[in-house]
């Protein structure tokens, strides 16, 4: 019996440790630039032992991406309480926290790297978009979205992705401004759609009716009217 | 000397013919589903002869994508005459023509297929986005865009892509409506950004000042005010 000797980890525990170490490295630098040697060294084990748990870098990358996807999807969950604009603004804060924490890995994934086009990574990216979509519809109290609402929600999700990517490229605009701007963008895209469609217009009126006069949606309308005058 | 016999094509002519045939097939079905045999058969030559001109399907795909990218970028070019809203609306019409003509190939490329992640295909997609970006700035008479205008233009380009992809998935909304909606979306995103920034506000006021009372921008402002009231 010895003490001070590192405890042997079980298989699942070791896999989880490696995923955590890899995700940390993939988040700080583009995944193409991270080697298995580096992951082994950061985990304090040998390179062959990494291959014992993961057959190659792609499978470790996919496992790390799975953990990151679960993490991000969990941040979309927000209690259905209080005005919608304020709820969305809190989610945007947590979304930018995530983007900030995983910057280089997020950019590499979304801009298309060597592992993109793998059906697993594509499916994970889609699952996160779907989680966002489901959350937004739940907050809007809509179960069977008409085509125009579907378009507004899905295209806004893609706008949030591209806004985050552009922010990461130089961070030239304060993220707090972009978080609020995306909430406004949602209202603006919904308003444009409502200009074409009575169903969207009724939905938007219902949403705006519950917004406080000092909330982000009311802000926007005031500013647009001022701009138009 | 014989007549009625098929003329032998030169190398470059044959390459261009194959690119045309392949692009036609890649546009009508997802490129993964198109085989070299089918391309050979449609071009009226043998499979080995296709490989004589292109080492593999990826290189033929990349050549077809190059031609499609040049075609799309050319459709962004619009004379700098008349109101901006009307110019952008004409470009949106030609953009949706392109999307309509190349539907399945466009979806496969933008959603991430087997050839995505090739540095050549990524570079081609980026070059088309850059062509759109350059055209928009030229029409706005801006040479050195501030960070917030850069964000509005780039994120709107990504919105146009996602809107086209969502349209292709079932075509549940008339494309004419989406073409006009994207023009409105541009104004709406610029207006949201202007609400945060004096420079963007000045730029937007300059644009709106030249818009006619019956143009798409003026339309939108009227509809937003009505909605807000």
């Amino acid at each position: 019996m010895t003490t001070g000797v590192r405890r042997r980890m079980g298989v699942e525990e070791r896999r989880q440790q490696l995923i955590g170490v890899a995700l940390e490295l993939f988040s700080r630098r583009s995944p193409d630039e991270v080697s298995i040697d580096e992951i082994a060294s950061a985990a304090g084990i040998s390179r062959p032992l990494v291959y014992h748990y993961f057959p190659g870098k792609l499978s470790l990358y996919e496992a790390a991406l799975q953990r990151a996807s679960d993490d991000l999807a969990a941040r979309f969950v927000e209690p259905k309480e209080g005005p919608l604009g304020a709820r969305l603004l809190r989610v945007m804060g947590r979304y930018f926290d995530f983007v900030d924490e995983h910057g280089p890995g997020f950019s590499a994934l979304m801009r298309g790297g060597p592992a993109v086009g793998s059906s697993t990574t594509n499916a994970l990216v889609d699952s996160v978009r779907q989680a966002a979509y489901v959350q937004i519809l739940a907050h809007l109290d809509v179960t069977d979205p008409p085509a125009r609402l579907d378009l507004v929600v899905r295209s806004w999700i893609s706008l949030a992705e591209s806004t985050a990517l552009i922010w990461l490229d130089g961070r030239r605009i304060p993220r707090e401004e972009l978080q609020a701007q995306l909430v406004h963008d949602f209202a603006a895209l919904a308003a444009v759609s409502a200009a074409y469609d009575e169903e969207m217009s009724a939905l938007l009126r219902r949403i705006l009716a519950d917004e406080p006069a000092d909330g982000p949606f009311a802000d926007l309308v005031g500013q647009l009217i001022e701009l138009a005058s």
Side-chain angles (χ1 to χ4, degrees), chain A residues 84-124:
Chain A
L84 278 171
R87 294 184 215 170
L88 191 53
L89 188 58
R90 283 191 293 271
V91 174
M92 287 297 97
R94 294 195 298 268
Y95 175 60
F96 271 82
D97 286 345
F98 177 91
V99 170
D100 197 8
E101 290 160 23
H102 300 280
F106 181 82
S107 285
L109 174 67
M110 303 307 285
R111 288 190 192 279
V116 179
S118 126
S119 55
T120 306
T121 57
N122 280 349
L124 284 171

Side-chain angles (χ1 to χ4, degrees), chain A residues 23 61-76 98 102 109 120-129 131-132:
Chain A
L23 183 56
Y61 178 69
E62 288 174 349
L65 194 59
Q66 175 75 62
R67 185 183 290 182
S69 302
D70 293 345
D71 171 13
L72 180 52
R75 300 188 198 207
F76 297 152
F98 177 91
H102 300 280
L109 174 67
T120 306
T121 57
N122 280 349
L124 284 171
V125 171
D126 279 345
S127 76
V128 172
R129 288 181 184 141

Side-chain angles (χ1 to χ4, degrees), chain A residues 156-223:
Chain A
W156 178 82
I157 290 169
S158 117
L159 188 73
E161 286 174 13
S162 56
T163 299
L165 281 170
I166 294 165
W167 175 67
L168 281 174
D169 184 14
R171 305 193 179 204
R172 294 191 292 160
I173 304 172
R175 56 172 268 194
E176 290 71 22
E177 182 177 324
L178 296 181
Q179 290 159 203
Q181 187 172 312
L182 279 165
V183 176
H184 285 174
D185 287 342
F186 185 86
L189 295 183
V192 168
S193 182
Y196 293 89
D197 184 69
E198 197 40 57
E199 194 172 11
M200 276 301 292
S201 175
L203 182 79
L204 194 60
R205 282 172 203 276
R206 174 167 68 76
I207 294 169
L208 292 176
D210 293 335
E211 286 300 298
D214 60 349
F217 285 144
D219 267 10
L220 172 68
V221 170
Q223 280 157 332

Side-chain angles (χ1 to χ4, degrees), chain A residues 127-140:
Chain A
S127 76
V128 172
R129 288 181 184 141
Q130 189 59 24
Y133 179 80
V134 166
Q135 284 298 321
I136 293 171
L137 290 187
H139 282 274
L140 296 177

Side-chain angles (χ1 to χ4, degrees), chain A residues 25-67:
Chain A
L25 290 168
F26 293 150
S27 296
R28 276 191 273 142
R29 292 206 326 278
S30 177
D32 334 349
E33 296 164 10
V34 177
S35 67
I36 288 281
D37 280 332
E38 226 177 320
I39 295 165
S41 158
I45 64 175
S46 68
R47 179 188 164 92
L49 199 52
V50 176
Y51 284 111
H52 176 71
Y53 293 100
F54 294 94
K57 195 171 122 182
L58 181 62
S59 75
L60 185 47
Y61 178 69
E62 288 174 349
L65 194 59
Q66 175 75 62
R67 185 183 290 182

